[in-house]
Amino acid sequence: MKRISMMGCPNVGKSVLFSRLTGVNVISSNYPGTTVDFTKGYTRIGGEKFELIDVPGTYSLEPISKAEEVARTMLQEADIIINVVDATHMERNLYLTLEILGMKKPTIIALNLWDEAKHIGIDIDVRQLEKLLGVPVVPTCAITGEGVKALTLKLRAAKQSEQIKPMTEEERWRKIGEIIRKVQVVHHRHHTIWEHIADITVKPATGIPIAMIVIFLIFLFIIQIGNLIIEYLMDPIFYNYYGPWIVEFVTAFYPEGLVHEILIGNSTLESLNFTQSFGLLTTGLYVPFDMVLPFVVTFYIMLSLLEDTGYLPRLAVLVDTGLHKLGLHGSAIVPTILGLGCNVPGALATRIMETEKQRFIAATLMAIAVPCMAQSAMIFGILGKYGMRWILMVYGTLALLYISLGLVLKRIIKGESPELLLEVPPYRKPDPVTLLKKTWTKAYGFLVEAVPFVLLGVFVMNLLYISGVIELLSGLFSPVLTTLLGLPKEAIVALIMGFLRKDIAVGMLLPLGMTPQQLTISCVILSTYFPCVATFVVLLKELGIRDMLKATGLMLIVSLTVGVLMRAILI
Amino acid sequence: MSGRDVKVTPLTALLPGEKARIVALGHGKGRQRHLRTMGLMEGKIVEMVAMQPARGPLVINVDGTQIAIGLGMARRILIEKM
Ligand SMILES: Nc1nc2c(ncn2[C@@H]2O[C@H](COP(=O)(O)OP(=O)(O)O)[C@@H](O)[C@H]2O)c(=O)[nH]1
């Protein structure tokens, strides 16, 4: 099978074009411009099947970071290159184009954002551009799909450029100047309403209040819509249909005994008890599907909106000053926000930070103080009924930890903290199809990752209970838990479970009959003491064993200290 | 070039709404290339869009592209006001 690599600068619409060209079976989703992970899919053009690769966006092939190295390798391994060029920023996009054409691979150019270029008054002579570059050029508008068909039809005409030779940097810039003069005419530009909004949202006096409102609205939306989905869709399904059916079904085969216990716990037709029965087919499915999935879906819709409209980089600019005090810079908002969804992509996204010091700080702060959506959903679930202030106390404590730890780490970790340098793209209308596809990929990814772990966790816990190991451990750890933290010694089960999955671990606090104070302390400790195993593995790969040991030590110390302090204040 | 004095100042001297011509990028070769591929080139007109308080980053506009750049980096870019 031939391989097509799609290459281009960041923010040229490569992902949208990619999802236009590929079917649904796309492997691994990437966060535009943030990680070196790439996306791979398949496409059928003229009866032939191709492998299509969405190469991470870079401005150049010069290896200044991992992203360019990866891009260069992928270029060399490809049979055909589709170079996606932003028609509204030809000048700087052509640098990469000339580098690619110098590599002598069959290439075709998609001149994307063609609609946008026309809209703001940029005329480009496509025929002339083709002649100067020596490869086919097809104007496209990825969001409407215009020109995409023409692009696939012309794919076979992709060829090596005769005109463009490998050249030095100065020669390239000179050549670009020449090309631009010959093919591009810019008419009078009028300030659009979106440009005014763009300015308002990045000026501090207006931008900071707007950012606060946006963040507040996003959280409100996630919580409200998540709750609506639970109330009107998931709960009815579980309580009216699935619950009674599964109880009857299991009871028909195993009226009682060990298997009955493990499968549905103490659920009965009268009391389904999904949250506390701790059966594989009751709690094990109810927690991920009913209590967590609705929030995960709404979270990823909001995240995609933030990404695709172009608001995220503006947020990065506004928080840059503050994050500098923590040894980071504005871009660190990306791993933090991703971490609020799931710590695994959050950990991967720490790669956008330039130095080892910044990566360590970003990763450690995320692992300690940023609870994932699955965990948050459960925290809302168990603390919500005691009132908002307990939830605020959990998040307030975590935010305080994020800041104070950052202040300390900035001082004690050696290394450099470089400054922000970031393109702030214009606001764009997000494409609903791409948005839904992205959300689907991530929600699906959540289910595939979470459900097996939850089930495994529930199963192992059942075995540990039955074999008496839990009793042993809770006896062993009871000095720490009861004396230091003021928690019942049975809380050890949640801490054990927390190594596997944080959501179900929070759920395990429910049957222990704790006070809201104890629950609050437990939630904070569960967030901070150790990342879940999936995050741990990724962090180990990203940071290396030495830094990971440092981070882990820090987590344990911080968690215990905060727990003891909270106990002194609350209980 | 006319004989009149052109005052070359760092980019940080520009106030929001003001425009200037870029004279020199003033960094190492690698950083210069990076800046050029982002659209920051000698001879281009920059406009200051916003300055974040407490020595935060600047947001500038070059050819319709907005770029956020840290204060330290911006100090080394030289401009002449127009
Ligand atoms: N108007 C317009 N917007 C587009 C077009 N292609 C992509 N976009 C938008 O541009 C933004 C960036 O696209 P994306 O595919 O994420 O960029 P990437 O970084 O190159 O992958 C998104 O908000 C898209 O909806 C296009 O042809 N016309």
Side-chain angles (χ1 to χ4, degrees):
Chain A
M1 193 177 353
K2 281 198 176 158
R3 178 184 285 177
I4 306 174
S5 280
M6 289 181 59
M7 307 189 64
C9 300
N11 283 310
V12 296
K14 211 155 47 62
S15 313
V16 181
L17 198 60
F18 178 82
S19 68
R20 285 249 164 227
L21 289 170
T22 51
V24 274
N25 53 341
V26 171
I27 304 154
S28 145
S29 182
N30 74 332
Y31 296 94
T34 57
T35 74
V36 194
D37 293 315
F38 62 94
T39 319
K40 190 166 96 174
Y42 298 92
T43 186
R44 193 171 280 283
I45 294 169
E48 192 179 340
K49 207 172 166 192
F50 290 92
E51 184 182 80
L52 195 66
I53 293 191
D54 185 1
V55 180
T58 60
Y59 290 109
S60 146
L61 293 175
E62 220 70 47
I64 40 175
S65 78
K66 271 268 182 297
E68 287 82 6
E69 280 171 39
V70 172
R72 191 177 262 274
T73 320
M74 288 181 171
L75 181 141
Q76 266 141 10
E77 288 169 356
D79 299 297
I80 301 173
I81 311 287
I82 298 180
N83 174 212
V84 187
V85 170
D86 174 354
T88 64
H89 291 112
M90 278 243 291
E91 186 169 21
R92 59 211 187 83
N93 275 228
L94 283 180
Y95 190 85
L96 178 69
T97 303
L98 293 190
E99 279 187 319
I100 292 174
L101 294 181
M103 307 288 276
K104 299 295 165 204
K105 283 271 180 187
T107 304
I108 181 168
I109 291 173
L111 199 52
N112 196 40
L113 288 144
W114 186 248
D115 56 320
E116 202 46 33
K118 271 197 284 193
H119 182 70
I120 59 179
I122 298 174
D123 271 347
I124 298 167
D125 183 345
V126 176
R127 293 289 146 268
Q128 180 72 0
L129 186 61
E130 273 186 336
K131 229 187 274 160
L132 290 172
L133 294 177
V135 295
V137 177
V138 184
T140 57
C141 171
I143 50 169
T144 61
E146 234 171 300
V148 176
K149 183 97 201 171
L151 182 71
T152 57
L153 289 177
K154 267 211 173 168
L155 197 69
R156 300 207 181 273
K159 60 173 189 208
Q160 301 181 4
S161 171
E162 307 277 329
Q163 279 77 354
I164 304 299
K165 309 264 177 295
M167 46 186 132
T168 67
E169 208 180 315
E170 285 77 34
E171 287 170 339
R172 234 173 252 140
W173 288 117
R174 215 171 309 127
K175 183 89 193 164
I176 290 169
E178 237 171 73
I179 295 175
I180 293 288
R181 269 194 302 283
K182 284 187 190 150
V183 306
Q184 179 176 298
V185 183
V186 180
H187 299 288
H188 172 69
R189 286 171 43 92
H190 45 99
H191 238 48
T192 65
I193 172 114
W194 284 108
E195 282 169 319
H196 283 296
I197 295 177
D199 287 359
I200 293 171
T201 47
V202 86
K203 283 191 203 291
T206 41
I208 292 172
I210 291 176
M212 287 179 183
I213 295 173
V214 167
I215 291 171
F216 175 75
L217 286 180
I218 285 177
F219 276 94
L220 197 69
F221 182 89
I222 293 173
I223 293 172
Q224 296 294 347
I225 303 284
N227 276 329
L228 283 181
I229 299 177
I230 292 176
E231 197 177 331
Y232 291 102
L233 183 68
M234 301 314 276
D235 266 356
I237 292 177
F238 268 90
Y239 281 97
N240 301 342
Y241 300 99
Y242 174 76
W245 175 79
I246 195 69
V247 170
E248 276 191 37
F249 186 79
V250 171
T251 312
F253 289 92
Y254 304 99
E256 57 198 327
L258 195 64
V259 180
H260 179 98
E261 250 328 275
I262 291 181
L263 288 182
I264 61 171
N266 60 5
S267 287
T268 58
L269 281 180
E270 291 72 42
S271 153
L272 289 168
N273 205 0
F274 277 128
T275 48
Q276 301 183 19
S277 65
F278 226 68
L280 273 180
L281 299 177
T282 50
T283 307
L285 293 180
Y286 183 79
V287 166
F289 282 98
D290 183 295
M291 298 183 77
V292 173
L293 183 65
F295 292 107
V296 168
V297 170
T298 41
F299 175 85
Y300 281 122
I301 290 177
M302 296 318 282
L303 178 66
S304 303
L305 267 178
L306 277 185
E307 281 182 346
D308 291 359
T309 52
Y311 189 67
L312 213 48
R314 287 171 177 84
L315 207 54
V317 172
L318 293 171
V319 298
D320 181 71
T321 319
L323 287 175
H324 243 287
K325 309 267 183 294
L326 315 183
L328 299 168
H329 64 57
S331 301
I333 195 72
V334 175
T336 307
I337 292 188
L338 294 183
L340 284 170
C342 170
N343 277 0
V344 171
L348 286 170
T350 55
R351 289 182 196 164
I352 50 167
M353 306 311 292
E354 290 92 341
T355 63
E356 219 162 285
K357 171 177 180 172
Q358 288 187 318
R359 278 193 294 274
F360 179 79
I361 297 181
T364 309
L365 291 188
M366 189 205 60
I368 292 184
V370 179
C372 67
M373 199 63 231
Q375 192 181 354
S376 292
M378 296 301 290
I379 294 177
F380 302 152
I382 68 162
L383 279 178
K385 60 172 179 280
Y386 298 107
M388 204 51 207
R389 70 196 163 110
W390 301 107
I391 296 180
L392 285 179
M393 203 178 294
V394 172
Y395 286 88
T397 308
L398 292 177
L400 223 86
L401 265 181
Y402 190 99
I403 295 168
S404 44
L405 267 179
L407 289 172
V408 172
L409 288 178
K410 180 191 176 170
R411 276 174 188 78
I412 61 172
I413 304 290
K414 284 196 214 53
E416 271 198 79
S417 295
E419 290 185 308
L420 182 72
L421 177 63
L422 179 76
E423 184 186 342
V424 185
Y427 280 122
R428 278 171 192 158
K429 199 168 81 198
D431 173 41
V433 176
T434 313
L435 193 125
L436 289 179
K437 247 188 183 177
K438 258 189 184 177
T439 308
W440 161 250
T441 315
K442 286 173 191 156
Y444 182 77
F446 161 76
L447 287 178
V448 172
E449 296 234 320
V451 175
F453 270 115
V454 169
L455 293 180
L456 178 72
V458 172
F459 185 68
V460 170
M461 269 305 157
N462 269 306
L463 293 187
L464 291 182
Y465 265 117
I466 292 162
S467 60
V469 174
I470 293 288
E471 211 158 321
L472 203 82
L473 286 175
S474 44
L476 210 59
F477 282 91
S478 92
V480 180
L481 287 169
T482 48
T483 323
L484 281 180
L485 302 171
L487 302 176
K489 66 180 194 301
E490 291 80 15
I492 190 69
V493 294
L495 289 179
I496 297 172
M497 190 57 151
F499 288 111
L500 267 182
R501 285 290 308 174
K502 301 274 181 152
D503 43 9
I504 194 94
V506 176
M508 292 183 75
L509 299 171
L510 262 184
L512 304 182
M514 291 199 262
T515 61
Q517 286 85 346
Q518 289 175 318
L519 283 175
T520 305
I521 296 176
S522 308
C523 285
V524 171
I525 289 178
L526 268 179
S527 305
T528 51
Y529 80 112
F530 203 79
C532 70
V533 64
T535 310
F536 182 81
V537 170
V538 175
L539 283 177
L540 194 62
K541 267 194 261 169
E542 294 296 308
L543 296 181
I545 202 152
R546 263 193 50 208
D547 276 356
M548 194 57 213
L549 278 178
K550 269 195 246 167
T552 312
L554 201 63
M555 288 169 204
L556 293 174
I557 295 170
V558 165
S559 173
L560 204 60
T561 315
V562 173
V564 171
L565 280 179
M566 286 184 82
R567 187 229 167 138
I569 296 167
L570 287 176
I571 302 180
Chain B
M1 273 278 136
S2 67
R4 116 194 109 88
D5 259 356
V6 279
K7 225 178 102 212
V8 174
T9 53
L11 179 57
T12 44
L14 214 56
L15 295 174
E18 285 187 329
K19 289 186 182 177
R21 186 187 308 279
I22 300 178
V23 177
L25 293 179
H27 278 94
K29 220 170 135 49
R31 178 50 64 68
Q32 281 197 16
R33 183 190 322 109
H34 191 190
L35 291 174
R36 287 199 192 99
T37 49
M38 291 179 82
L40 273 177
M41 269 175 252
E42 294 91 339
K44 292 250 154 144
I45 308 294
V46 286
E47 183 188 343
M48 182 66 67
V49 177
M51 310 175 89
Q52 305 301 320
R55 289 187 288 131
L58 313 176
V59 180
I60 54 176
N61 189 326
V62 185
D63 276 352
T65 305
Q66 291 197 346
I67 295 168
I69 181 169
L71 204 67
M73 257 185 262
R75 272 203 201 102
R76 301 171 63 174
I77 297 176
L78 298 180
I79 51 158
E80 66 186 39
K81 287 202 188 179
M82 0 203 314

